[in-house]
Amino acid sequence: MRISVIGCGYLGAVHAASMASLGHEVVGIDVDAEKIEALSNGRAPFYEPDLPELLARGLGSGRLRFSTDIADAAGSLVHFVAVGTPQLKTSGGADLSYVDAAFASLMPHVASGDLVVGKSTVPVGTAARLAKLVEPTGARLAWNPEFLREGYAVKDTVTPDRLVYGIADGQTASVDLLNEVYATAVSADTPVVVTDYATAELVKVAANAFLATKISFINAMAEIAEVTGADVTQLADAIGYDARIGRKFLNAGVGFGGGCLPKDIRAFTARAEELGRGESVAFLKEVDAINLRRRQRAVDVVVEELGGSVFRKKVAVLGLAFKPDSDDVRDSPALDVAVQLHGLGAHVVATDPEAIPNSTRLHPQLSFGTLDEALAGADAVVLLTEWKHYRALDPSSVAAQVTHPLLVDGRNALDADAWRAAGWTYRGLGRR
Ligand code: UDX
């Protein structure tokens, strides 16, 4: 099938390459010429495992190409809109200007019978509004939210755990087309939920709100553990054995960040307030507040362990990305903690396998280096992103590199006993 993908960011670039890998003929379109140039040459503009290989295969097969010209969408039967919906600068609401611009520029190039598919995360009610723009062209609109996790984006796109199609009443032809696009997943018995626009839009934000709530729940327990001498990791294990609760997304630490969870819960709150149902999701404000408090807590623990001041102390920050296997530092708790420690006068040397270039762009005032440079002579080591490489560090050899064997584990990812046995003062968040 001929497919166009409008927007080639984290979502769109992966979607375009994945669709080509499934045998479709795909054109990825973006207004950012630099991004298109990189993608056309097989370079991913961000770190995402498996994406470079997929790009190389797609470009090599001739089934995948990229363009800055929206007119190249003409001739495709299905047009995916995958542009960003960042948080507005002035409020918690979603900035829909990229979605609106994408639809406005795409409409002159769609033909009667085409299917336009929204993938962007939007406030509920957006699809119904956009359907009115699509209608006069004779094309139809479907809303098909994505659930991809960074670091697993290719896997989540090619083998999703569910597919959600939001369609207008009676437009079953849209379902047939989407089933054809996702034929591989559909034939593998992937659950398909066919629903209305509003439900499809809500599925995405509800899923992210639930995940954020789960993380903040365990971080709230960490706060209680800290004043009672309990251990939040054992608590999470124990409640996680209850299959109704489950252990996933119960890792306490510096909390959630990234381009989705923080902005999605804020946009959901803003939209619910617009709808006069603010109280229904008022708890999400608390979820947000708990999450942000944990960053401060990590800073406070470092200050406390360094005797009340970090001024001129060397602090090694391990990890800057909002999570491992990503170079994304949007709303990253790790980067935030590094910046706060720097602001308190610490000599922060931060390291990360992939996220240093993005961090440098945002916070050039910080010092960045290799792992060895960060550790050399450090008064404190703070683990903030649990990259596999950091989890595998040998406590004894790291002890030989630092001045003071003080470790603050902001992700509760290391073996506390092993580090203590090697002479370290180990502090987790929400742990004895
Ligand atoms: C999320 C959703 O998982 C995905 O379905 C959606 O499409 C986009 O948003 P992503 O932002 O890639 O994906 O990251 P995710 O793996 O969900 O992690 C989000 C944040 O929560 C990270 O900062 C992570 O470190 C943190 N986290 C996760 C915790 O603090 N504790 C946990 O137990 C799990």
Side-chain angles (χ1 to χ4, degrees), residues 65 125 141 176 180 192 239 272 297 401:
R65 66 195 170 95
L141 177 71
D176 297 336
E180 213 177 313
V192 179
I239 63 172
R297 174 67 186 167
Q401 293 178 271

Side-chain angles (χ1 to χ4, degrees), residues 378-381 395 398-400 402-408 419 422-426:
D379 295 296
V381 178
V398 180
V402 301
T403 299
H404 293 115
L406 164 63
L407 175 77
V408 176
W419 284 76
W424 287 81
T425 299
Y426 173 95

Side-chain angles (χ1 to χ4, degrees), residues 6-275:
I6 320 303
C8 291
Y10 281 94
L11 167 60
V14 172
H15 194 68
S18 300
M19 290 302 106
S21 82
L22 294 174
H24 301 302
E25 198 180 307
V26 184
V27 56
I29 301 172
D30 200 292
V31 290
D32 183 340
E34 226 172 278
K35 203 177 274 179
I36 290 302
E37 151 114 34
L39 287 165
S40 301
N41 289 305
R43 276 181 286 115
F46 48 85
Y47 176 80
E48 183 61 46
D50 302 332
L51 181 58
E53 293 77 12
L54 222 58
L55 283 174
R57 257 192 285 146
L59 294 164
S61 70
R63 281 199 305 272
L64 177 63
R65 66 195 170 95
F66 293 94
S67 166
T68 52
D69 188 358
I70 190 72
D72 285 336
S76 290
L77 184 57
V78 176
H79 309 270
F80 285 100
V81 177
V83 295
T85 50
Q87 185 177 333
L88 283 167
K89 287 196 172 63
T90 46
S91 76
D95 179 356
L96 290 177
S97 58
Y98 302 101
V99 171
D100 288 336
F103 270 80
S105 64
L106 176 64
M107 283 315 107
H109 307 289
V110 301
S112 182
D114 286 4
L115 182 64
V116 180
V117 186
K119 284 204 87 65
S120 308
T121 303
V122 291
V124 56
T126 306
R129 172 172 69 79
L130 294 171
K132 295 201 178 77
L133 286 180
V134 177
E135 225 165 72
T137 65
R140 293 180 308 274
L141 177 71
W143 214 263
N144 169 226
E146 54 77 25
F147 305 103
L148 59 85
R149 297 160 298 168
E150 289 181 26
Y152 302 90
V154 169
K155 181 179 165 290
D156 288 349
T157 306
V158 176
T159 52
D161 51 15
R162 80 284 212 190
L163 290 161
V164 176
Y165 306 162
I167 56 165
D169 278 348
Q171 291 189 350
T172 47
S174 307
V175 176
D176 297 336
L177 272 183
L178 284 167
N179 278 340
E180 213 177 313
V181 170
Y182 296 119
T184 312
V186 172
S187 62
D189 287 336
T190 305
V192 179
V193 179
V194 179
T195 184
D196 52 83
Y197 291 145
T199 306
E201 291 166 317
L202 277 173
V203 168
K204 174 60 196 265
V205 283
N208 276 355
F210 190 87
L211 294 172
T213 303
K214 205 170 176 193
I215 298 168
S216 278
F217 174 83
I218 201 64
N219 279 330
M221 296 305 107
E223 292 185 335
I224 303 295
E226 277 156 8
V227 293
T228 54
D231 186 307
V232 75
T233 59
Q234 286 187 314
L235 173 73
D237 290 343
I239 63 172
Y241 286 125
D242 184 331
R244 293 169 304 173
I245 296 173
R247 181 62 178 83
K248 288 182 182 159
F249 271 66
L250 282 184
N251 293 324
V254 285
F256 60 80
C260 288
L261 262 45
K263 66 120 176 138
D264 285 354
I265 59 170
R266 291 170 197 155
F268 194 10
T269 306
R271 183 64 182 137
E273 283 168 359
E274 273 173 19
L275 294 166

